[in-house]
Amino acid sequence: MKRTKRCSVFVSYSRHDEHLVRPLASLIGAAGDRAVFLDVESIKPGEEWEVEIVKAVEECVVFVLCWCCQSQLSEYVYQEIRLAFQHGPKRFVPVLFCDAPLPDALASRQWVDLRERLTHSCLPHNQGKADKSAVLTEKKTSTGRSGTDIDTSK
């Protein structure tokens, strides 16, 4: 069964945070009267999940990024971000679950700060990051902060 209602909001997150993201996605859908794509609710059994995710990212107008130390390590999250930049324009809305620094490409976007409003089980933020060389570039910003950025050119 294919999606018949076009999703205007795509929610990207780490599976680790599904218990936090489900109620947030429901709230977004109810408050904005918009179709929200959340993989665990939008993809039906038997559908090709990668194809459905790509279509939803391409179609969406709003890309909600639930960001934390776990999503920072997820290759799928970075693929979704890159795809969203390639199929813009979109409104990017970062939602912070912990102190993990946003990718530089999204750091200038106004974010929703939930860091002190929810309980998130974090990894130590000073542990090494997964190698994302195909998607990310390491760089120092003018403030001297080391950050990760998304290669949006691919």
Side-chain angles (χ1 to χ4, degrees):
M1 180 175 177
K2 296 289 180 199
R3 284 184 294 117
T4 56
K5 190 171 184 182
R6 187 177 169 146
C7 292
S8 58
V9 179
F10 182 90
V11 181
S12 179
Y13 68 101
S14 164
R15 182 73 66 215
H16 174 269
D17 296 315
E18 182 179 335
H19 67 287
L20 300 172
V21 173
R22 276 184 185 251
L24 179 63
S26 294
L27 181 62
I28 292 168
D33 193 30
R34 294 180 176 231
V36 176
F37 184 93
L38 183 65
D39 62 348
V40 293
E41 295 178 0
S42 301
I43 301 173
K44 306 298 181 227
E47 290 183 330
E48 294 182 50
W49 61 269
E50 284 184 288
V51 171
E52 294 302 311
I53 288 173
V54 167
K55 281 195 291 190
V57 171
E58 290 174 352
E59 292 174 356
C60 77
V61 178
V62 178
F63 185 91
V64 175
L65 173 64
C66 296
W67 188 252
C68 69
C69 50
Q70 296 291 331
S71 52
Q72 184 178 36
L73 297 174
S74 171
E75 290 296 330
Y76 292 112
V77 169
Y78 279 98
Q79 289 172 11
E80 292 164 359
I81 295 168
R82 186 176 62 210
L83 186 62
F85 272 108
Q86 291 171 349
H87 293 277
K90 298 187 185 310
R91 172 178 278 194
F92 288 88
V93 181
V95 179
L96 306 181
F97 287 175
C98 74
D99 290 329
L102 279 168
D104 291 337
L106 294 169
S108 66
R109 307 291 176 133
Q110 183 62 37
W111 60 71
V112 176
D113 191 350
L114 297 181
R115 292 177 289 187
E116 301 207 8
R117 291 181 166 75
L118 54 79
T119 302
H120 181 265
S121 57
C122 289
L123 297 172
H125 292 165
N126 58 359
Q127 280 187 351
K129 299 174 192 167
D131 177 24
K132 304 203 181 331
S133 56
V135 183
L136 303 176
T137 56
E138 286 285 332
K139 67 180 190 179
K140 291 232 181 214
T141 64
S142 59
T143 62
R145 171 179 74 83
S146 180
T148 55
D149 204 1
I150 299 164
D151 181 359
T152 58
S153 64
K154 294 181 182 173

